Amino acid sequence: MNDSLRILPEIVLTIAGVVVMVVDALMPKASNRKPLGWLAALGALAALAASLWQYQLPPGTAYFGVVQTDAFSVFFHVLIGGILLTSLLITLDAVAPGTEGLGELFALMLFGSVGMMLMSSAVELLLVFVALEISSISTYIMAGFRRKSAKSPESALKYFLLGSFATAFFLYGIALIFGATGTTRVAAIGAAVNGTHAPGLLFAGLAMIIIGLGFKVSAAPFHVWTPDVYEGAPSPVVALMSTGPKAAAFAVLLRIAYGALPQLHGHWVPILWWLAVISMTVGNLGALRQHNVKRMLAYSSIAHAGYILVAFTALSADGVAAASFYAVSYAAMNVGIFAVISHVGGYDDQLTSIDDYRGLGYSSPLLGGAMTLFLISLIGIPFTAGFFGKFYVFAAALHSGMVWLTIIGLINSGLAAFYYLRVAVAVYSRPVEAAPVMSVAKASFPLQLALLLTAAATLILGIVPGNVLNAARAAAQIFYSVGNGN
Amino acid sequence: MLSDSILTAITLLPAAGALVVALLPRKGRTIQWFTLLVTLATFILSLHLPAHFDYARRGFQFEENRPWISSPAIRYHLGIDGLSLWLVLLTTFLGVIGVLISWRAIETRTKEFYFLFLLQQTAMVGVFVALDLFLYYGFWELSLVPMAILIAMFGPTRGRQAALKFFLYTFLPSALFLVAILWLYAKTGTFDFVQLQNALTNQPALFNPQALWWASLAFLVAFAVKVPVFPLHGWLSDAIQEAPTAMAMVVAGKLGLYSIVRFNLGLFPTQARAIAPLMIALAVTGLLYGALVALAQTDMKRLVAYSILSNLSFCTLGIFCFAVAGLNGAVFQTINEGVTGGALLVLVSLLYGRYGTYDMSLYGGLAAKLPMLATLYVITALALIGLPLFNGFVGEFLVLSGGFQDHPGWIAAAAISVILSASYILWMVQRIFYGEPSSLVVHRPAMDLNAREHLMLWPMAILMLVMGVAAPYWMKAINGAVSGLAGSSAGTAAEPAAQTAAATAASRETQ
């Protein structure tokens, strides 16, 4: 009984997902499937509450030590719960009542989140792998959900092929680490590293794992799938898959780097240093050339993965806390901006070029204003989540002497201002005369709720980040407590 | 009681007002009246500051210092000294003027305009009162956003390009500025201005001299772009041309100049002194360049833009001469530029509102038609060229006299620009108001100033005169703050000298 409490949010989501699927099958074929979305949102809300409740559990493991609840895992559980809830609201707004397979979409979102949550609490690498697969397979399917458009199945296939390749790398890495240390438990690996008889295997395993996870967080040079998949997948789905699996993969990377292999930091810090630099540069330069908002945000997500990787190189509790905090702030602003995009473009993505956003600020002051707020946060203007996240990341890096990385990163963020700003300026300039004026539908209640949640999070994280910051620091402390430090 | 939280009130009242504006109906003039009320209330609140300012005290006053974020150690630390006192008042004063000038000029998208306008007020006041570098950087960056959006929204022809140019010019150097701030934090563990100043003076061993150089340079470049200092002025004329008048009045000058004095002189005095020759050379170049380009303009808004560049270079010159009188003059001139340059932009926009063009060759003989407007235009012009009795004279005199001892050559060159500025300003007045009435002037109905325009222009005109005649009143606060910055060796001795210099300047006028 006590064991199941440690995976309570996952249980809640699984039950909710099953209920959604069963009710979906029982409903008449032609009926409106939207209430299922509300049911799913209710499940997400319950899972969020269960995650928050887990804060009061004493830290510990369950099921023979494969799952661990601690400040770190709960932090990411709450984050993923929040992302899921908001993405469901966005989906409810974007889809038409008669959309094909709507019940399955909602169920898949719930099941995928089970995988993401489990990734952040698993301390047995094989369970991490299983959780990663749960989350990945759900997202592959969701990416291809608009079966009638050409781009969506294409993106799903691309995502699936490259994604399974990356998971194979990850699995191979686990095998090599097992070969070197004789265990797949995070804590045991840490203890066995010094006595290993095959350091070469260990490094190779570490490199494989970094490649596998690098793909999942879309760090360059493992990013090539990102723009196509973001462009082809339905926007509400992108809101979830650009933030949730990424946060979970970063949690896994943190656990492996800081929890299992801190002694090897001499090896993984330079690798992540280069990954960070390449991701930031490739992401920002790539985004500069895009005219499609979704592709632009795909490249921007590569750059933001780079910013988070900067925090990894700090090798301090502040670094871990900064990476975790950044994952939250990126989620707030990115889910927010995809809420606007999915409403403007609709489920079918009719309007995605930057010119389509001209005059949005006048035709819908609410959407235009929200879009501007999220763009400003993505640029990193103070008093928004994006700024404080970046500030904290680079403060941690500089504190550890990463001067060049900080300079490269902040110059990058200066460059990035250009392409975000182009959209923000478009939102407030007059529409092109010749362009057909597409009227934007009034924001529905779920969208208003989603915008409220994300905008409030963006501002709160920027102005009074105290509570989230403390939670992130508490999460980071688990790697620096007695007997586990480096 | 009021003194304990007065700075928060002045800073955040406009932002609170902005939130209300977002909820007000667009019908009628509700939004305008409400914004006017907010800016008036802010201005009246800010009058509390000079009334209760202790001129004898060194250091910061009306301080508020509360913990904000525990780690990184960020505090909500506000405070003003003689340097920021009048700049805060200038900002709140121009806030009221800004609403009045936009009353008829902005007829569409009023909600967006006044929302962003009030946000800009908060950001600007925040820059002057923030004493925590994190907080300061926050306001500094925030001040870019409403400005850029407003330029993009209201720019008549090339708004988008001007907004992007303005934003990128100022945002890119800010990235390196942030690196420098983070570096200082990594070394000292604090963002607090006062503590940083202590650490930099008393524990130089903490810092690598080479790195300190780069840090000071990162600060300086970020500020110099915002002033702007030649050759970083590329954004200025476009921004002034495309921005609504209320924004053009505040786009340049005071934020950058204040920051140079506060941070480069306050935190990095050695480095600032070492780079002074270069800055003086750039300032004089900008001074002459701006004046010469202004002389060649036929478009009056561009002329005003280049005259602003020229006048701001004058302030930069005064700062980097490192003389007490020069610094006093530079700060005083910064305030003058806000009032006089602002007034000139208002007047030019009034002419545009009546005749629909900035082309001076289409005007002529307007003085007979619009006597009141002409009178105020001439008063402003005279203040701008530094005629004795007006504020401009005091500032220019102090800068020139302060710098002459150490840099006679550069000051002589700067003095030429005084003559040049008189030429282009007076030539502009002559082309617009005197001579034969042009066909444009004859065929349009003559509308002299209405009550609202009187209401905004006369306070500015009176201020120009009062600041000129009663300069020592302003000077005593400024001098207290800047005298310590001019030189540690000559600090105490130079103080009475500056007082007398200000007094001499004032008495010469009254003769």
Side-chain angles (χ1 to χ4, degrees):
Chain A
M1 187 61 217
N2 204 11
D3 273 5
S4 55
L5 287 182
R6 297 210 178 269
I7 55 163
L8 190 60
E10 285 90 342
I11 295 179
V12 171
L13 281 184
T14 313
I15 293 175
V18 171
V19 169
V20 167
M21 291 206 86
V22 170
V23 175
D24 180 43
L26 295 177
M27 281 169 98
K29 200 164 181 355
S31 70
N32 180 1
R33 292 300 202 267
K34 274 197 169 186
L36 289 177
W38 286 109
L39 198 62
L42 209 63
L45 197 63
L48 191 61
S51 306
L52 283 168
W53 173 83
Q54 278 189 328
Y55 260 120
Q56 59 166 38
L57 277 182
T61 57
Y63 297 109
F64 315 105
V66 297
V67 171
Q68 182 172 326
T69 357
D70 49 33
F72 182 79
S73 74
V74 178
F75 183 86
F76 279 95
H77 272 66
V78 174
L79 169 59
I80 292 163
I83 293 172
L84 173 65
L85 179 63
T86 327
S87 309
L88 282 167
L89 292 173
I90 298 170
T91 317
L92 271 171
D93 168 77
V95 294
T99 311
E100 201 186 351
L102 206 48
E104 292 155 39
L105 179 63
F106 291 130
L108 279 171
M109 290 173 88
L110 295 174
F111 290 142
S113 305
V114 171
M116 299 168 209
M117 285 187 170
L118 209 51
M119 279 164 81
S120 67
S121 58
V123 288
E124 154 71 54
L125 291 182
L126 283 174
L127 183 66
V128 172
F129 172 75
V130 172
L132 184 65
E133 284 292 69
I134 298 177
S135 124
S136 301
I137 292 173
S138 315
T139 30
Y140 301 150
I141 304 173
M142 286 192 283
F145 226 80
R146 286 181 304 153
R147 263 162 268 176
K148 295 204 176 102
S149 93
K151 276 188 175 159
S152 189
E154 180 203 328
S155 88
L157 193 64
K158 223 175 234 175
Y159 194 20
F160 170 66
L161 288 176
L162 288 169
S164 31
F165 204 53
T167 357
F169 267 103
F170 184 73
L171 191 59
Y172 197 37
I174 296 176
L176 291 180
I177 286 184
F178 179 74
T181 60
T183 176
T184 48
R185 297 283 163 90
V186 167
I189 292 171
V193 163
N194 283 335
T196 179
H197 49 83
L201 275 189
L202 197 59
F203 304 147
L206 173 67
M208 296 278 180
I209 285 184
I210 290 179
I211 292 175
L213 291 176
F215 174 89
K216 293 291 165 194
V217 301
S218 64
F222 314 114
H223 65 283
V224 278
W225 57 276
T226 322
D228 292 338
V229 173
Y230 281 22
E231 191 189 358
S235 300
V237 170
V238 182
L240 176 67
M241 73 183 202
S242 66
T243 51
K246 258 190 187 189
F250 272 118
V252 171
L253 194 55
L254 280 173
R255 244 202 229 282
I256 292 177
Y258 281 85
L261 301 168
Q263 288 103 318
L264 292 189
H265 67 81
H267 293 273
W268 55 257
V269 166
I271 299 179
L272 295 183
W273 197 98
W274 279 107
L275 283 187
V277 169
I278 298 172
S279 300
M280 292 189 291
T281 315
V282 167
N284 285 325
L285 292 181
L288 281 177
R289 297 181 302 135
Q290 303 306 320
H291 297 289
N292 179 312
V293 178
K294 285 173 81 182
R295 285 186 81 84
M296 186 200 92
L297 285 171
Y299 279 104
S300 119
S301 90
I302 299 167
H304 283 273
Y307 300 137
I308 298 186
L309 286 171
V310 168
F312 275 75
T313 64
L315 272 186
S316 62
D318 264 342
V320 180
S324 315
F325 185 87
Y326 203 98
V328 181
S329 41
Y330 180 66
M333 56 202 184
N334 213 49
V335 172
I337 199 160
F338 271 105
V340 180
I341 289 173
S342 81
H343 183 78
V344 172
Y347 186 68
D348 301 324
D349 278 336
Q350 284 154 332
L351 303 172
T352 49
S353 104
I354 291 177
D355 278 337
D356 292 332
Y357 284 81
R358 293 186 70 160
L360 178 68
Y362 312 127
S363 57
S364 168
L366 171 74
L367 289 172
M371 182 96 176
T372 312
L373 173 68
F374 298 128
L375 285 168
I376 282 172
S377 178
L378 285 164
I379 294 176
I381 297 289
F383 307 120
T384 58
F387 175 72
F388 198 83
K390 230 171 254 175
F391 171 84
Y392 196 28
V393 163
F394 287 111
L398 200 64
H399 204 81
S400 306
M402 296 283 169
V403 179
W404 281 109
L405 192 56
T406 309
I407 292 176
I408 296 171
L410 285 170
I411 288 180
N412 251 299
S413 82
L415 259 181
F418 182 76
Y419 58 83
Y420 294 125
L421 206 64
R422 226 172 31 175
V423 183
V425 166
V427 167
Y428 284 105
S429 48
R430 287 171 205 92
V432 188
E433 297 291 332
V437 181
M438 291 270 199
S439 63
V440 175
K442 214 171 140 31
S444 64
F445 171 69
L447 184 78
Q448 288 177 353
L449 203 59
L451 287 178
L452 180 72
L453 285 174
T454 45
T458 304
L459 287 174
I460 288 173
L461 291 170
I463 298 170
V464 278
N467 287 332
V468 181
L469 215 50
N470 287 338
R473 246 197 310 279
Q477 276 312 319
I478 69 151
F479 301 119
Y480 285 86
S481 51
V482 189
N484 211 358
N486 56 345
Chain B
M1 193 58 217
L2 185 60
S3 293
D4 291 339
S5 49
I6 178 82
L7 290 179
T8 299
I10 296 171
T11 313
L12 295 185
L13 189 63
L19 292 182
V20 178
V21 164
L23 302 173
L24 288 176
R26 283 170 195 270
K27 290 256 159 56
R29 297 210 174 265
T30 329
I31 292 178
Q32 278 93 329
W33 280 110
F34 179 77
T35 314
L36 184 63
L37 202 70
V38 171
T39 48
L40 262 179
T42 316
F43 177 59
I44 291 167
L45 268 179
S46 68
L47 287 176
H48 176 90
L49 299 176
H52 293 82
F53 192 83
D54 182 355
Y55 293 94
R57 226 174 86 189
R58 283 296 175 87
F60 293 100
Q61 307 187 20
F62 305 103
E63 268 187 280
E64 289 171 51
N65 195 347
R66 278 181 239 121
W68 179 12
I69 296 163
S70 58
S71 166
I74 297 167
R75 298 185 72 81
Y76 179 77
H77 189 181
L78 307 181
I80 56 164
D81 63 358
L83 174 60
S84 35
L85 169 68
W86 294 116
L87 290 168
V88 171
L89 259 93
L90 173 68
T91 311
T92 55
F93 173 71
L94 289 181
V96 182
I97 304 289
V99 179
L100 291 173
I101 182 67
S102 313
W103 202 266
R104 293 245 174 246
I106 308 292
E107 292 282 14
T108 54
R109 291 171 249 145
T110 45
K111 185 182 276 194
E112 286 84 359
F113 177 84
Y114 287 103
F115 177 82
L116 292 167
F117 175 85
L118 286 172
L119 218 53
Q120 180 78 14
Q121 284 296 116
T122 288
M124 289 190 297
V125 175
V127 166
F128 296 130
V129 300
L131 289 179
D132 183 282
L133 272 179
F134 178 88
L135 187 61
Y136 167 84
Y137 186 81
F139 285 124
W140 172 264
E141 294 277 89
L142 186 64
S143 73
L144 302 180
V145 179
M147 182 67 81
I149 297 181
L150 283 174
I151 293 176
M153 279 174 90
F154 291 93
T157 50
R158 291 172 297 110
R160 283 175 73 167
Q161 290 91 319
L164 275 176
K165 205 166 166 187
F166 165 75
F167 192 90
L168 292 179
Y169 251 99
T170 30
F171 190 74
L172 283 175
S174 298
L176 291 177
F177 176 34
L178 183 60
V179 178
I181 293 178
L182 290 175
W183 179 78
L184 284 177
Y185 175 71
K187 294 288 168 197
T188 59
T190 178
F191 288 109
D192 193 276
F193 175 77
V194 182
Q195 290 178 22
L196 275 175
Q197 204 174 22
N198 281 336
L200 282 158
T201 5
N202 303 329
Q203 300 157 273
L206 273 179
F207 309 94
N208 170 357
Q210 188 75 27
L212 204 57
W213 247 109
W214 287 111
S216 79
L217 208 59
F219 274 68
L220 186 60
V221 172
F223 302 149
V225 168
K226 190 98 181 199
V227 171
V229 174
F230 182 88
L232 302 169
H233 62 278
W235 57 271
L236 179 72
S237 65
D238 279 352
I240 287 187
Q241 268 195 305
E242 297 293 316
T245 309
M247 288 288 121
M249 275 159 54
V250 295
V251 72
K254 54 189 195 268
L255 295 177
L257 289 164
Y258 159 81
S259 305
I260 290 181
V261 177
R262 170 73 78 223
F263 295 104
N264 278 97
L265 269 55
L267 293 179
F268 312 106
T270 329
Q271 287 77 6
R273 222 169 259 277
I275 207 166
L278 174 68
M279 294 306 290
I280 290 174
L282 290 179
V284 173
T285 316
L287 200 55
L288 294 172
Y289 167 83
L292 286 171
V293 177
L295 209 49
Q297 298 302 318
T298 53
D299 179 310
M300 49 180 146
K301 206 159 181 188
R302 284 190 87 83
L303 186 148
V304 177
Y306 283 102
S307 93
I308 286 175
L309 172 64
S310 180
N311 290 341
L312 293 174
S313 302
F314 210 94
C315 303
T316 317
L317 174 67
I319 292 173
F320 281 96
C321 281
F322 278 98
V324 177
L327 266 169
N328 271 310
V331 177
F332 194 66
Q333 195 66 1
T334 308
I335 302 167
N336 291 345
E337 179 51 40
V339 177
T340 324
L344 195 60
L345 278 168
V346 168
L347 286 159
V348 166
S349 83
L350 292 185
L351 283 179
Y352 182 81
R354 284 165 171 73
Y355 295 99
T357 176
Y358 290 120
D359 189 347
M360 284 186 282
S361 59
L362 299 176
Y363 287 90
L366 213 52
K369 291 263 196 173
L370 308 175
M372 288 314 294
L373 200 152
T375 312
L376 281 158
Y377 209 104
V378 172
I379 292 177
T380 310
L382 294 179
L384 207 65
I385 62 179
L387 194 78
L389 268 186
F390 285 107
N391 53 358
F393 174 75
V394 184
E396 288 184 0
F397 179 83
L398 284 174
V399 169
L400 294 177
S401 68
F404 190 74
Q405 203 175 4
D406 292 335
H407 311 278
W410 290 116
I411 294 297
I416 296 176
S417 82
V418 177
I419 302 168
L420 287 176
S421 86
S423 341
Y424 64 74
I425 292 283
L426 293 179
W427 192 25
M428 170 172 70
V429 171
Q430 190 263 327
R431 278 186 282 182
I432 297 172
F433 290 99
Y434 301 100
E436 285 297 303
S438 70
S439 65
L440 179 79
V441 169
V442 173
H443 289 108
R444 293 282 175 100
M447 287 184 297
D448 212 347
L449 299 179
N450 64 27
R452 175 176 57 86
E453 291 157 353
H454 274 294
L455 203 62
M456 66 187 167
L457 284 169
W458 280 109
M460 293 174 105
I462 291 169
L463 205 57
M464 293 171 209
L465 201 62
V466 174
M467 281 178 73
V469 177
Y473 173 69
W474 274 265
M475 227 44 115
K476 65 183 173 184
I478 298 172
N479 186 56
V482 300
S483 56
L485 298 173
S488 46
S489 52
T492 41
E495 205 175 324
Q499 289 281 17
T500 40
T504 335
S507 66
R508 277 183 198 212
E509 290 163 14
T510 40
Q511 279 161 18

